[in-house]
Amino acid sequence: MRNRLMQYIPCVAFAAAAAGCSTYAPVAQNTPKLRVPEQFATAADTGSMAALPWQRFFTDSSLRALIDTALHNNPDLLSAVQHMQEAQANVLQSRAALLPVVNATVSAGLDHYGKYTMNGVGNDDTNLSQNVKGKRKIPDPTPDLFVGLRSSWEADLWGKLQQRKKAAVARYLATGMGRHLLVTELVAAVASLYYQLVALDREQAIVQENITLQANALELVKVQKLGGRATELAVQQFNAQLLNTQAIAYEKKQQAIALENELNNLLGRFALPVLRSKDFAGMGDSAAAGIPAALLQRRPDIQQAAFELEASKADVQAARAAFFPSLVLSPYTGFNAFRASVLFNGASLAYGVLGSVTAPILNRRELKANFSVADARQQVAFQQYRKTAVQAYNEVLTQLEQIRNAGEIARLKQQELEQLTNGVATAKDLYMAGYANYLEVITTQKNLLDASLESIEVQRRKTVATINLYKALGGGWDWP
């Protein structure tokens, strides 16, 4: 009877495998490919500013020191390193699943068999044999002692374990790209805050210059009032303008404090003064973007999404392989006896191997559900990859236009400043000569202050746009 059952086992396994072939059909056999605009795919490579490491792109020594501090102290970046180690451990775990499991085993058991059982009758009959004497007599109760090695190994016939390892490796690489993404975002964030502080310093200097000029104008109007050439209303208007500018100075000061603390947060340190230069120099001014198709190789978020997509594909393949039978071999070797005194006798040496083939029958719905989940996650991963790629292209084009438009605005603002500067001097001369009233002087001074602050803001926007273009192109993450 036992031999007949052994003959049927391969047939059952084959039938289960055939059934698996007919039920594991994926929801979507092929993942759709990402299509990019034709002008992007056929454009000539012009080189990209992203190829420059951040140490060469940012030449300001104070800024480079801040970036270096952030890369070593930022809590989010340090956490990303731990995530990479976790993913690396998952890779090692998936690789270990391909190898046999070998355990050193020491086991002991004690059984008392019933007299009306096969073991009980067999033991009694064995003890009556003339060939069984001395220590070979089976005691009652019967100990079972084993000291040796037991192993288990699943033969990866259908590539299930290999696909799981492939998925683990892809996710490890994705975490590495996630760390690179965090680095480029951190570098860009530190640089942006740095130049915002530089802009605020220049704005505060302009405000202080205007406070000095307005204070002098107020004293002049007071003298004119004493001489009967100005009214109290003129004094009040000049004084109000001075008070408003002084309030602006405090607003700029508070903005600088907030930005410094925000920058210190990125640096992973408590509040400290931020050393900085007094102008917008110290940064690469090139806006070369290269061909947009190069983004697929340079931007870490696109690479991260690509690895996640690769991992999801491997998950689908592993879910398919789960429908097929599994072959597990369980060999063992060691000393086995029912008396401790003869356990390590050469005659107690035992070895053997058990092979089992298991195929899913009643849990096929669960396997189908797991396959559907893996297939759906693959489609989600592709859409995320597509979304990231499209966003990358659009970010680059947006920042390029921002840089061009900011340059034009800066040129026009410079002309406006020249006109307003001359206008302030003209208004003062006309006022002293009695050909202009005090409101014209106040208005021209206010317009000059506003235009000066707007000019600094335009320079800041252009600088930040250049930094954002560097980040959008995938620059800044060449860091060990």
Side-chain angles (χ1 to χ4, degrees):
M1 183 68 179
R2 177 182 177 89
N3 292 334
R4 289 183 179 179
L5 289 176
M6 294 297 293
Q7 292 175 359
Y8 286 122
I9 287 178
C11 298
V12 173
F14 178 78
C21 291
S22 62
T23 56
Y24 82 96
V27 176
Q29 289 282 354
N30 298 315
T31 303
K33 296 181 179 180
L34 180 65
R35 297 181 179 178
V36 299
E38 183 178 353
Q39 64 269 28
F40 290 166
T42 59
D45 190 0
T46 59
S48 171
M49 61 194 295
L52 293 175
W54 65 264
Q55 298 91 336
R56 290 178 56 191
F57 185 76
F58 300 107
T59 58
D60 188 308
S61 58
S62 298
L63 174 57
R64 287 193 295 187
L66 293 174
I67 293 176
D68 185 68
T69 300
L71 292 178
H72 287 87
N73 293 341
N74 183 264
D76 293 331
L77 190 56
L78 295 178
S79 297
V81 174
Q82 300 304 315
H83 288 309
M84 284 190 64
Q85 293 183 355
E86 179 183 355
Q88 186 178 23
N90 290 333
V91 173
L92 296 177
Q93 186 178 26
S94 65
R95 288 177 178 174
L98 292 165
L99 303 175
V101 176
V102 180
N103 295 315
T105 304
V106 177
S107 63
L110 187 66
D111 293 308
H112 172 71
Y113 302 107
K115 295 298 183 182
Y116 303 101
T117 64
M118 293 182 64
N119 286 325
V121 174
N123 290 345
D124 288 342
D125 186 61
T126 300
N127 285 337
L128 293 175
S129 172
Q130 295 180 357
N131 295 326
V132 178
K133 300 177 181 179
K135 294 182 179 181
R136 298 187 67 189
K137 291 282 186 180
I138 301 174
D140 185 19
T142 306
D144 184 15
L145 307 175
F146 179 84
V147 176
L149 302 175
R150 293 187 183 275
S151 179
S152 178
W153 176 64
E154 179 180 355
D156 192 23
L157 300 178
W158 318 109
K160 176 178 64 177
L161 301 180
Q162 284 286 353
Q163 291 299 326
R164 289 177 180 174
K165 185 189 77 170
K166 183 178 179 181
V169 171
R171 289 194 169 92
Y172 168 71
L173 296 175
T175 58
M177 285 299 164
R179 174 177 170 271
H180 292 331
L181 175 62
L182 188 57
V183 168
T184 191
E185 290 179 345
L186 183 61
V187 169
V190 171
S192 296
L193 289 174
Y194 178 84
Y195 283 110
Q196 287 184 56
L197 284 171
V198 171
L200 276 173
D201 289 345
R202 296 184 63 176
E203 289 178 357
Q204 290 185 81
I206 291 174
V207 170
Q208 290 299 327
E209 290 176 2
N210 278 265
I211 288 175
T212 301
L213 294 175
Q214 291 172 10
N216 293 335
L218 176 60
E219 293 301 322
L220 178 61
V221 171
K222 288 181 178 179
V223 172
Q224 289 181 335
K225 177 192 172 186
L226 293 177
R229 296 184 56 191
T231 65
E232 178 62 23
L233 180 59
V235 174
Q236 293 174 349
Q237 292 293 327
F238 274 94
N239 192 27
Q241 184 186 41
L242 175 61
L243 294 173
N244 179 71
T245 307
Q246 289 173 337
I248 293 175
Y250 281 102
E251 290 179 359
K252 298 297 180 182
K253 181 179 180 180
Q254 179 57 37
Q255 291 175 12
I257 293 174
L259 285 176
E260 279 191 333
N261 289 334
E262 187 176 351
L263 184 53
N264 283 317
N265 288 337
L266 292 180
L267 301 181
R269 69 185 188 184
F270 292 100
L272 289 174
V274 176
L275 299 178
R276 51 191 181 267
S277 61
K278 297 182 179 180
D279 53 44
F280 291 99
M283 186 182 66
D285 195 28
S286 173
I291 59 172
L295 291 175
L296 298 177
Q297 299 176 351
R298 184 71 196 179
R299 273 189 59 136
D301 54 345
I302 296 180
Q303 288 292 308
Q304 181 182 21
F307 284 126
E308 291 289 353
L309 178 59
E310 183 179 348
S312 67
K313 291 180 179 179
D315 287 338
V316 171
Q317 297 298 327
R320 288 178 186 171
F323 286 92
F324 293 97
S326 299
L327 172 61
V328 179
L329 301 177
S330 302
Y332 72 92
T333 183
F335 296 97
N336 192 198
F338 49 67
R339 295 185 188 277
S341 60
V342 296
L343 178 60
F344 295 105
N345 191 304
S348 297
L349 181 64
Y351 55 86
V353 60
L354 174 66
S356 62
V357 177
T358 59
I361 301 246
L362 298 180
N363 63 333
R364 301 187 67 77
R365 289 186 178 180
E366 179 183 358
L367 295 179
K368 290 179 182 178
N370 291 339
F371 179 80
S372 297
V373 170
D375 188 78
R377 288 177 177 172
Q378 177 185 351
Q379 302 306 315
V380 171
F382 171 76
Q383 295 303 328
Q384 182 62 38
Y385 173 74
R386 175 175 172 271
K387 172 186 174 182
T388 305
V390 171
Q391 182 178 348
Y393 287 127
N394 292 336
E395 283 180 0
V396 171
L397 296 179
T398 298
Q399 298 306 325
L400 283 172
E401 290 301 317
Q402 174 72 8
I403 293 172
R404 295 190 187 100
N405 292 331
E408 291 299 317
I409 295 174
R411 181 180 61 81
L412 296 174
K413 280 293 179 182
Q414 183 61 36
Q415 297 178 8
E416 180 185 1
L417 280 174
E418 294 174 359
Q419 295 295 320
L420 288 173
T421 301
N422 295 332
V424 168
T426 302
K428 287 182 179 179
D429 293 341
L430 293 175
Y431 177 74
M432 296 299 296
Y435 292 103
N437 58 46
Y438 65 89
L439 291 177
E440 291 175 308
V441 176
I442 292 175
T443 299
T444 53
Q445 288 180 342
K446 181 179 183 304
N447 290 340
L448 178 60
L449 174 60
D450 292 341
S452 299
L453 297 179
E454 289 173 2
S455 178
I456 298 299
E457 174 63 18
V458 170
Q459 293 182 54
R460 185 198 67 81
R461 290 203 302 265
K462 181 181 179 182
T463 302
V464 171
T466 305
I467 296 171
N468 288 338
L469 177 61
Y470 182 63
K471 179 184 73 171
L473 292 169
W477 59 265
D478 289 327
W479 185 69

